[in-house]
Amino acid sequence: MNYRSYSLANFEHIPQVRNYLSKDDIDAVKIIGSVLPFKINNYLVNELIDWDNFRNDPIYHLTFPQYGMLSGEDYILMQQAIARGANSTQLAEVASNIRKRLNPHPGEQLTLNVPVVDGSIIKGMQHKYDQTVLFFPSHGQTCHAYCTFCFRWPQFVGDTELKFASREVSTLLSYVRSHPKVTDILFTGGDPMIMSARMLMAYLEPIIEADLPNLSTIRIGTKVLGYWPYRFLTDTDADELLRFFDRIAARNINLALMAHVNHPKELQHPAAQKAIRRVLNTGVQIRTQSPILNHINKSAETWRDMWNLQVKLGCIPYYMFIARDTGAQDYFSVTLEESSYIFNEAYRQVSGLGRTVRGPSMSVDTGKIEVMGVTEIKGEKVFQLRLIQCRNAAFVGKIFYAKYNPDAIWFSDLEPAFGETGFFFEDKKELLNL
Ligand SMILES: *Cc1c(COP(=O)(O)O)cnc(C)c1O
Ligand code: SF4
């Protein structure tokens, strides 16, 4: 299949959009799509979205901006700007002001986790937990389509040369070499699988060749199985890419695709299943993760079916996340209580091979916090929480408690239980490097 993408500029050319969407639906796409990213492709439009039932279709909600993703006030601001014929500079300014209110950089990602070497910061990397360095290849900062719940602002990717890739990689390599605790490099974006095989090799080959004794795994975060499985099937360099995966697997480096899968539908399509088989045949691992999202996957049956199908196809369920406190969080939010209920309900219904999954997990400054559930201790109803990742590995595994709050959707909505004045890690900022 040939890839064709649509954006705000041309989505009205999509026949299904003309046939099924009302004028109000189209206006909502235009208004919200001017603030939040919007991009979709022919595979999603023609193969995954069930247009006869599009209002309830998870893939439609996953990719098309929906009324309700902006607050009423922000919606009206942008609606009025468009109605009065504002030019592109003016629209950009309105959009930028709205975005600032949407907490675009949750968890202080921009300032807190950026490695510093010899007093200067290293761009394109983040290092928060001992074992895993995040690497943002500059050529992998866009995606085959954009998720409505995502707020990683897609940056324009120019035709920078291969040279640039190797310069980025050599910085990464010297960093990993001088941090022996690092075992994992996580390529992230955007979606690094947007890159051509050649470009990906330009990044990965020097890492393999460096033979770093501490490196065990290269992870690549990707949505490509759901958004463009033809990456591994019919794209002109699909076979080249798979041969490259073969070579990596033969080098005793674990290459793991961290596949973002939000709904079982994405893996029911024969193209996705064929893509998975081809990838697994190379010896590369596929692990799966998704946030729990209202309108998309807010039910135990959906998660059960998703984990079962993943296991059946040879993938390894890895994370259920709580949607971050950014972008259209209100539209997608599921309370912590319901998230943990759904997780546990689904977890009980899958075999042990599906219970490799962890969560539901919130990523906050301190680390990843798992919401284990609601319980009662000494007559007080509480959330039982656990740090499953932490800036200071000494705290990993620590269980702690928060007052029960049925409306809580994020860690910031929680207070310590038992009348305590702070969570156990809050007076340990130095130990946490905060
Ligand atoms: C989740 C995450 C990781 C990976 O953590 P694992 O528990 O090893 O999957 C690494 N860095 C950051 C910033 C993360 O949020
Ligand atoms: S694939 Fe990932 S990075 Fe790309 S839009 Fe979706 S959530 Fe964001």
Side-chain angles (χ1 to χ4, degrees), residues 92-146:
E93 198 184 319
V94 176
S96 151
N97 286 333
I98 298 175
R99 281 180 211 137
K100 279 183 205 145
R101 287 197 284 279
L102 296 174
N103 189 22
H105 301 295
E108 308 273 350
Q109 290 281 351
L110 275 193
T111 49
L112 268 183
N113 306 317
V114 182
V116 178
V117 170
D118 299 334
S120 55
I121 61 164
I122 308 182
K123 282 199 199 132
M125 278 172 57
Q126 283 182 15
H127 190 195
K128 183 169 178 182
Y129 308 126
D130 284 350
Q131 296 84 3
T132 306
V133 171
L134 267 52
F135 178 61
F136 298 75
S138 59
H139 299 83
Q141 299 308 308
T142 186
C143 306
H144 284 94
Y146 296 144

Side-chain angles (χ1 to χ4, degrees), residues 8 29 66 109 125 139 141 200 204 222 232 239 257 262 280 288 300 312-313 315-316 328 382 414:
L8 212 50
V29 174
Q66 312 282 329
Q109 290 281 351
M125 278 172 57
H139 299 83
Q141 299 308 308
L200 198 65
L204 290 180
T222 183
F232 303 112
D239 291 345
L257 290 192
N262 308 112
L280 294 180
T288 57
K312 184 170 168 174
L313 297 172
C315 305
I316 307 167
V382 292
L414 297 180

Side-chain angles (χ1 to χ4, degrees), residues 43-44 48 144 191 193 222-232 257-261 265-267 269 271-277 279 286-288 315:
Y43 170 69
L44 295 163
L48 283 203
H144 284 94
D191 186 342
M193 292 311 302
T222 183
K223 180 74 188 162
V224 79
L225 291 171
Y227 279 176
W228 191 250
Y230 304 98
R231 184 74 199 87
F232 303 112
L257 290 192
M258 310 303 290
H260 297 215
V261 180
K265 232 180 132 165
E266 293 172 76
L267 299 185
H269 195 282
Q273 299 195 353
K274 196 165 171 207
I276 290 172
R277 272 198 306 279
V279 169
I286 301 176
R287 290 180 187 262
T288 57
C315 305

Side-chain angles (χ1 to χ4, degrees), residues 126 128-129 132 134 186 219 318-319 358 363 368 389:
Q126 283 182 15
K128 183 169 178 182
Y129 308 126
T132 306
L134 267 52
L186 169 52
R219 308 189 205 177
Y318 188 49
Y319 267 128
R358 321 200 283 167
S363 272
K368 282 186 168 70
Q389 261 299 9

Side-chain angles (χ1 to χ4, degrees), residues 199-217:
M199 188 63 75
L200 198 65
M201 281 154 70
Y203 281 103
L204 290 180
E205 217 132 39
I207 301 179
I208 316 288
E209 294 309 323
D211 246 331
L212 302 171
N214 46 324
L215 185 69
S216 96
T217 298

